[in-house]
Amino acid sequence: MNEATAAGKPRLTREHALALLRGMLRVRRFEERCVELYTQEKIRGFLHVCIGQEAVAAGVMFNIADDEAVVAAYREHGHALLKGMTMQQVMAEMYGKVSGCARGRGGSMHLFDADTRFYGGNAIVGGGIPLAVGLALAEKMQGGNRATVCFFGDGAASEGVFYESLNLAALWQLPLVFVCENNYYAMGTPIAVEHAQPEIYRKAEAIGVPAERLDGMSVVQVEAAARKALAAARAGKGPRLIECETYRFRAHSMFDPQRYRDQTEVEEWKKKDPVDRLAEWMAQANLIDEDQRKTMEAEIAEEVEQAVQFAEAAEWESEKTLFDHLVQPLPKPLAPPPAPEIEATETTLREAFHRGLEEALEHDDRVFLMGEDIGRYGGCYAVTHDLFGQFGAERIIDTPLAENGFTGAGLGAALGGMRPVIEIMTVNFSLLAIDQIVNSASALLHMSGGQFNVPVVIRMATGAGRQVAAQHSHSLENWYAHVPGLRVLAPATVEDARYMLWAALQDPNPVVIFEHVMLYNHKAELTPQAQGVDIEKAAIRRPGTDISLITYGGCLYKTLEAAEQLAAEGIEAEVIDLRVLRPLDTDTLIESVSRTRRAVMVDEGWKTGSLAGELMAILTEQAFWELDAPPARVCSAEIPVPYAKHMEQAALPRVADIVAAAKRTLGEAP
């Protein structure tokens, strides 16, 4: 609903006031019923109600256009209802029924609706804030002026991602309104304990985001501020923050005994009840009488009961669809690369990666790159050199050192219709972004019941060998390969480095690409691949009959060298390059081992919990009777990677280690 006024203030006509009152009452009565249903064990899990805070959602939502995006936190029932979701679909989701807004896969904390552009609640405190930044970034990149609104609580303003996100929004002057629902308690921690500066709006001002603080128990004040902030965002004046001082009358969640606050404090705040406050004013102004209030209450009560009846009668999702909405299928066939090489040329993996990025930028206007030092500097590993000069700052976006923030922004931009390629400088730094990758990117399609996929590509350097010691030498590919919903790639040849990106950008799901630092300078002849490369299959890099050596990434060439040494002794080893770590191509593995009857896994990760261990389990489960010997593995020593060169090399898989493991598996003395 939009009702502009010359002064930018709400014009409280009777219809306007009635709409605000009805909106708050709908939220209040819906949640009161949910509390009853929770005690009856009809609703389970966590239930966070916003009873007492309704003025914030009502005041802001009154001004949001139907096609503007909203991102909320886990106390989001009111935001969802006031954005236009039906009470029936929300209640069914609370029950976990298939008729719910997310097919029962999200529950109370994860309400989603593509039709109303409601991008969900988020159970991770502050987790939705960078997604809102990305949605606003996509809107700006596409030339639109629709605003994005992001709701969060005071607790989220303690998270680092809050500061990262506000900084990005201010730097990029995005059409975004942040709404802090400051209810004075982050779960049970009072604001005086969690914030050295308890006035949250001042934090935004310090970052460069214009902000104001207001009485969040007054729907009139909230609406006036929201109207002004949204107008500024739509006019291209950049982000705004509204801090609404409000209060939840009930517990943080239904598990909360509320020992951290005195009941007298709650009663004092109840005197400011936003619903009663507006209703009493309307009665005094003759905008509503007792009979009209009773009629409104009766209509809302009927709506609530119809929602309950709908949820009660709705069906549960069949277990047969358990694996639905995990990933969307790759297009069949994949579009070939638009500008493949015609003749074989010698190149390095660095230049092959560079050409893949350049090709994507040239042939898909939705593609842009984002990361630390990728533009003006040319990239830490020089993969993105010269791209800034070719495509400019709008397509090659240098970010602050804020991995969780800019990764989340990339996910939001993907939700908004773009095709971002995010570069995280090293796998070690990705641990700062793992929240967004694991809690959001991999799970959104599932949690939203198939409504929101995240077509983003995340590149990062991995591996050891450069004498940069423990904090820049990890091989954590298996951590990400562990997570359903991600595709994980590990290119090790110039062909894969050159062509995997184009295929990955066609994947409607999040793709993580690991580039081993010791392979950037590896030079080889690039064979033309007119159809691109397969990102679903492992590759046999060297055929053999006596033993299968299974590896990926930085260990590929060590394994090939080991195979040559074995061949000199009459042992023909087959070398399999996994290259796709999730989903694993088990068919190729089983077929190879069924022929060779022996296997050695070579993995730069640590042995405990390694991808090599998973491969051994797969072979044991699916090819046990084909094996003539127990499978073996060669992994890095279980220590932080040392600095001194000889110690670093001793810690990593070596050619001699692979040869020895193969001979042991063949029954020979090492």
Side-chain angles (χ1 to χ4, degrees):
M1 297 179 253
N2 281 318
E3 187 181 337
T5 66
K9 296 181 180 179
R11 186 175 71 240
L12 282 179
T13 62
R14 182 173 183 275
E15 293 73 19
H16 188 151
L18 285 170
L20 291 172
L21 181 61
R22 179 180 289 274
M24 289 193 291
L25 278 170
R26 287 182 71 238
V27 175
R28 176 72 60 89
R29 301 301 178 238
F30 175 85
E31 290 202 318
E32 287 173 345
R33 191 70 172 96
C34 285
V35 170
E36 294 175 2
L37 293 165
Y38 194 91
T39 62
Q40 298 167 14
E41 299 190 356
K42 299 292 183 68
I43 296 173
R44 303 314 300 147
F46 289 121
L47 176 65
H48 308 84
V49 295
C50 67
I51 293 171
Q53 300 183 192
E54 296 91 348
V56 180
V60 175
M61 290 296 183
F62 195 88
N63 295 282
I64 294 176
D66 291 342
D67 62 349
E68 289 183 316
V70 171
V71 178
Y74 48 78
R75 201 183 305 279
E76 87 279 31
H77 314 131
H79 310 94
L81 290 171
L82 295 174
K83 187 64 171 76
M85 293 169 65
T86 69
M87 200 174 283
Q88 290 183 341
Q89 64 184 147
V90 176
M91 185 64 81
E93 187 63 32
M94 307 289 279
Y95 270 63
K97 297 293 187 71
V98 73
S99 300
C101 59
R103 299 184 61 82
R105 294 187 174 220
S108 172
M109 296 185 290
H110 308 111
L111 305 176
F112 296 91
D113 186 45
D115 291 341
T116 60
R117 297 198 75 209
F118 192 81
Y119 287 89
N122 200 308
I124 307 302
V125 176
I129 303 177
L131 297 180
V133 171
L135 284 162
L137 175 62
E139 180 71 15
K140 183 173 182 178
M141 295 182 81
Q142 293 165 1
N145 67 345
R146 296 176 300 178
T148 297
V149 175
C150 180
F151 293 92
F152 54 90
D154 51 287
S158 299
E159 296 281 356
V161 76
F162 166 81
Y163 301 93
E164 294 178 19
S165 298
L166 264 66
N167 184 47
L168 292 173
L171 274 173
W172 299 336
Q173 286 293 284
L174 300 179
L176 178 56
V177 176
F178 299 101
V179 181
C180 177
E181 298 179 286
N182 181 358
N183 62 28
Y184 288 90
Y185 290 93
M187 194 164 174
T189 305
I191 195 166
V193 175
E194 60 173 324
H195 291 282
Q197 169 51 274
E199 295 178 304
I200 291 167
Y201 81 102
R202 295 190 184 277
K203 301 172 187 285
E205 289 180 335
I207 291 172
V209 176
E212 64 175 305
R213 194 182 206 197
L214 53 86
D215 181 0
M217 307 299 276
S218 167
V219 69
V220 175
Q221 288 192 37
V222 174
E223 189 191 352
R227 185 183 297 276
K228 183 173 65 175
L230 285 161
R234 294 170 186 141
K237 296 180 180 179
R240 297 291 188 271
L241 181 139
I242 305 169
E243 179 187 355
C244 301
E245 295 181 271
T246 186
Y247 200 82
R248 51 177 167 81
F249 295 163
R250 298 189 66 95
H252 168 74
S253 73
M254 292 299 291
F255 290 104
D256 175 12
Q258 299 193 77
R259 296 193 181 102
Y260 49 85
R261 63 182 185 181
D262 194 277
Q263 188 60 32
T264 58
E265 176 184 302
V266 179
E267 295 304 319
E268 282 299 310
W269 274 96
K270 283 185 176 180
K271 294 176 182 178
K272 303 177 183 180
D273 188 313
V275 177
D276 293 344
R277 192 171 175 179
L278 178 61
E280 289 168 5
W281 176 82
M282 289 175 67
Q284 293 170 6
N286 295 319
L287 297 176
I288 192 170
D289 59 31
E290 185 175 349
D291 288 342
Q292 290 167 334
R293 172 75 182 267
K294 287 180 179 178
T295 299
M296 182 183 290
E297 289 274 16
E299 291 170 351
I300 293 170
E302 177 64 19
E303 183 186 12
V304 172
E305 287 313 304
Q306 286 181 0
V308 173
Q309 292 171 20
F310 177 83
E312 290 278 357
E315 295 182 357
W316 298 102
E317 185 176 5
S318 168
E319 292 183 8
K320 295 178 181 178
T321 62
L322 180 64
F323 291 95
D324 289 0
H325 313 307
L326 173 60
V327 294
Q328 290 187 348
L330 277 174
K332 297 288 186 182
L334 287 177
E341 283 71 16
I342 298 174
E343 298 180 354
T345 55
E346 191 174 61
T347 189
T348 63
L349 265 78
R350 173 182 290 104
E351 290 306 311
F353 284 127
H354 176 273
R355 178 56 193 144
L357 292 168
E358 185 177 47
E359 177 184 61
L361 289 159
E362 287 173 344
H363 294 276
D364 190 339
D365 291 339
R366 301 171 301 169
V367 172
F368 69 96
L369 312 187
M370 180 165 58
E372 299 155 337
D373 292 311
I374 65 168
R376 295 157 181 84
Y377 188 84
C380 178
Y381 301 100
V383 172
T384 56
H385 68 87
D386 300 333
L387 294 180
F388 186 83
Q390 291 184 62
F391 299 99
E394 292 186 356
R395 308 262 324 266
I396 313 296
I397 302 177
D398 281 318
T399 66
L401 307 183
E403 287 83 3
N404 209 33
F406 71 71
T407 299
L411 307 188
L415 289 170
M418 301 299 288
R419 288 292 184 272
V421 179
I422 302 168
E423 178 176 317
I424 298 176
M425 192 178 291
T426 76
V427 66
N428 315 79
F429 294 166
S430 79
L431 300 186
L432 300 169
I434 202 167
D435 167 42
Q436 289 297 322
I437 299 171
V438 173
N439 285 323
S440 290
S442 70
L444 274 171
L445 182 67
H446 171 86
M447 289 196 305
S448 67
Q451 295 179 85
F452 293 121
N453 61 304
V454 190
V456 65
V457 174
I458 302 171
R459 300 173 45 245
M460 63 183 85
T462 186
R466 297 182 306 125
Q467 284 191 257
V468 289
Q471 290 185 333
H472 279 307
S473 301
H474 289 100
S475 292
L476 303 178
E477 291 89 330
N478 65 304
W479 288 20
Y480 293 94
H482 175 68
V483 181
L486 301 178
R487 183 180 299 277
V488 181
L489 306 178
T493 66
V494 288
E495 289 80 13
D496 283 355
R498 167 65 182 88
Y499 294 112
M500 268 190 174
L501 179 67
W502 185 255
L505 284 167
Q506 296 177 66
D507 195 328
N509 310 291
V511 179
V512 183
I513 301 178
F514 287 93
E515 303 170 4
H516 199 286
V517 292
M518 296 306 290
L519 297 183
Y520 280 130
N521 290 330
H522 179 82
K523 184 176 287 189
E525 186 174 89
L526 174 61
T527 304
Q529 305 283 331
Q531 297 303 312
V533 296
D534 195 335
I535 58 170
E536 295 189 288
K537 293 290 185 181
I540 298 176
R541 301 300 184 190
R542 185 187 192 281
T545 55
D546 298 325
I547 190 169
S548 298
L549 305 180
I550 305 166
T551 190
Y552 66 92
C555 286
L556 174 61
Y557 296 101
K558 295 179 182 179
T559 306
L560 287 168
E561 184 178 343
E564 291 301 317
Q565 290 189 18
L566 290 167
E569 300 182 39
I571 300 168
E572 291 300 325
E574 182 154 286
V575 176
I576 299 175
D577 175 9
L578 292 174
R579 71 178 182 169
V580 184
L581 308 187
R582 188 175 188 106
L584 282 167
D585 174 14
T586 55
D587 289 346
T588 296
L589 302 182
I590 301 302
E591 190 277 332
S592 175
V593 171
S594 295
R595 285 187 288 100
T596 66
R597 310 190 76 81
R598 291 173 175 82
V600 173
M601 270 58 68
V602 185
D603 181 358
E604 197 170 299
W606 294 301
K607 182 177 289 187
T608 301
S610 63
L611 186 61
E614 175 64 19
L615 295 169
M616 292 180 73
I618 289 171
L619 295 181
T620 302
E621 289 172 347
Q622 300 185 39
F624 180 80
W625 301 109
E626 308 300 326
L627 293 168
D628 285 345
R633 51 184 164 160
V634 178
C635 298
S636 290
E638 302 216 353
I639 57 171
V641 177
Y643 162 68
K645 186 176 182 61
H646 69 291
M647 296 292 283
E648 179 182 41
Q649 293 303 310
L652 301 176
R654 293 180 287 194
V655 173
D657 300 327
I658 302 168
V659 170
K663 288 183 174 180
R664 286 195 301 271
T665 304
L666 287 160
E668 299 183 19

